[in-house]
Amino acid sequence: MRRDSLVLPLLKRLLFQNSFSSSGGSTRGALPPSSIVFTRRRGQQKRFLVQTAADDGKENVIETELKSTCDARIRGGSSSPHSKGKAINWIVLGMPGVGKGTYAKILSKTMDIEHVSAGDLVREEIGRKTDLGKKMQNIVNSGQLLPDEMVVDAVIKKITMPKTKASERGFLLDGFPRTIAQAERLSETVPVDVVLNFTLEEAILVEKACARRKCGECGKGYNVADIDYTTKDGVRIIMPPLSPPEKCVGKMTMRDDDKEETVRARLEAFKRQSLPVEDWYRKKGMLSEFEILGGIPETTPRLMRFCLEEMKKSSA
């Protein structure tokens, strides 16, 4: 094995760790304990290099297998006659702050399917000043919520447009549908294979939401929550902060609606509206639960393995 194939993954991990240290944030949880190289003897360091490369290699193999499984499904390479030439249509659900948008982007890139966010579609429709966009703008300006059918129309228009990635390879709907009416309308239009529901301890969701910050000068967002939480089942969840650089430290701003009482009220409102949707898909045997137990570096490999298994089951 070439030396750079061993060293480069390690360097990337160390740079990730140092980025927290240099910004004044905690590195706790940024790397697993076995990654702290500087406390090890030379022989132990060498073994760690090999192990790190092996772990990265396994992750790459899983990603490659997930992508090839998706490709086979789309082009009709599956052994099952029922799945030949089928697009991959998935939905991602989860409470606000769980990270579904981030993971949806990672998954859609690996699977090479369209990432479709209902919120982004609404903003794009308004920005293009289409007839539908003008109607949306008038409703938003009046302080009202967009009706179900209007949001569904925008989503369906996007995922069924001919000669697009969404219609030919498939899509990953991010945070949609939010009501049973939307779910029913969607099911009447396109088949859905998997509904992936991200879960995270509510106490962590609240802490993360209250820790969101934005630089008042450059506009970049950060999260100063340093999560070290043990569940009632004894599972320890560690998530390092996304700390601002020194030049932004004194310019942090916080949204008025990111106060704890407001965040909790927002979560309760989401539960009332969206938990019935989860139950609707669960009763149909389509809902797959994925629990977040760490930060992005720790969660992504688990998610890839989980989705590979889901992909194999839905293509069988």
Side-chain angles (χ1 to χ4, degrees):
M1 184 178 292
R2 290 176 54 191
R3 180 180 177 84
D4 56 359
S5 68
L6 294 175
V7 175
L8 287 178
L10 174 61
L11 289 177
K12 288 191 291 184
R13 290 172 183 247
L14 291 178
L15 286 172
F16 177 78
Q17 181 190 35
N18 291 339
S19 68
F20 286 110
S21 300
S22 62
S23 61
S26 170
T27 62
R28 182 179 54 189
L31 298 171
S34 60
S35 300
I36 310 302
V37 179
F38 300 112
T39 63
R40 297 175 177 267
R41 295 186 178 91
R42 184 174 301 174
Q44 292 175 314
Q45 291 179 18
K46 184 176 180 181
R47 286 196 297 273
F48 168 70
L49 276 170
V50 174
Q51 184 62 48
T52 300
D55 290 344
D56 285 343
K58 289 178 183 177
E59 292 173 16
N60 291 335
V61 167
I62 293 169
E63 289 183 18
T64 300
E65 186 176 356
L66 176 58
K67 174 64 164 57
S68 63
T69 303
C70 293
D71 290 343
R73 158 75 175 269
I74 291 166
R75 68 172 179 262
S78 172
S79 60
S80 170
H82 301 292
S83 61
K84 287 188 176 180
K86 284 181 63 178
I88 301 163
N89 300 336
W90 284 26
I91 292 172
V92 172
L93 301 178
M95 295 181 72
V98 76
K100 58 182 176 291
T102 299
Y103 292 115
K105 289 176 182 177
I106 293 172
L107 277 178
S108 61
K109 182 177 180 181
T110 300
M111 300 169 72
D112 196 17
I113 58 178
E114 187 78 19
H115 172 224
V116 180
S117 164
D120 289 345
L121 286 181
V122 169
R123 287 184 285 271
E124 288 173 8
E125 203 71 35
I126 292 175
R128 287 198 298 267
K129 298 182 179 180
T130 61
D131 290 341
L132 179 59
K134 291 176 182 177
K135 292 179 183 178
M136 289 177 169
Q137 184 69 73
N138 291 335
I139 294 172
V140 171
N141 289 344
S142 68
Q144 302 297 313
L145 294 175
L146 294 175
D148 278 350
E149 62 271 16
M150 190 170 283
V151 179
V152 173
D153 285 344
V155 172
I156 290 177
K157 177 182 175 182
K158 173 71 174 179
I159 62 181
T160 59
M161 190 175 296
K163 297 182 179 180
T164 62
K165 180 181 285 188
S167 62
E168 294 183 355
R169 286 191 61 89
F171 56 78
L172 201 159
L173 284 180
D174 174 0
F176 180 92
R178 290 192 175 184
T179 66
I180 291 178
Q182 291 178 344
E184 291 174 337
R185 173 77 186 283
L186 182 66
S187 68
E188 294 168 358
T189 307
V190 293
V192 173
D193 305 311
V194 175
V195 180
L196 186 60
N197 187 38
F198 287 106
T199 64
L200 180 63
E201 291 283 330
E202 187 168 326
I204 298 177
L205 287 172
V206 172
E207 186 172 348
K208 283 171 63 66
C210 294
R212 291 190 295 191
R213 300 291 186 271
K214 185 176 180 180
C215 178
E217 184 172 291
C218 71
K220 190 171 181 179
Y222 301 94
N223 195 299
V224 296
D226 190 3
I227 306 295
D228 189 346
Y229 180 90
T230 301
T231 69
K232 60 182 180 181
D233 297 324
V235 178
R236 189 180 181 190
I237 301 175
I238 297 177
M239 297 180 178
L242 178 59
S243 303
E246 188 175 347
K247 64 179 181 179
C248 297
V249 168
K251 304 166 186 174
M252 291 292 99
T253 61
M254 179 180 177
R255 284 169 35 173
D256 290 337
D257 60 349
D258 278 346
K259 296 176 182 177
E260 183 174 347
E261 60 272 18
T262 308
V263 170
R264 291 191 181 278
R266 193 161 65 228
L267 290 176
E268 288 303 315
F270 179 88
K271 289 179 191 177
R272 289 193 299 271
Q273 183 186 50
S274 297
L275 289 185
V277 177
E278 294 177 18
D279 290 335
W280 192 81
Y281 281 117
R282 187 178 287 111
K283 290 175 182 177
K284 291 180 176 294
M286 300 172 63
L287 193 75
S288 296
E289 309 270 7
F290 181 83
E291 187 176 9
I292 305 292
L293 297 174
I296 295 174
E298 297 83 16
T299 299
T300 300
R302 287 182 54 240
L303 178 61
M304 291 294 174
R305 287 190 290 271
F306 183 87
C307 289
L308 176 59
E309 293 305 312
E310 290 296 317
M311 190 67 229
K312 289 178 178 178
K313 287 190 290 186
S314 67
S315 299

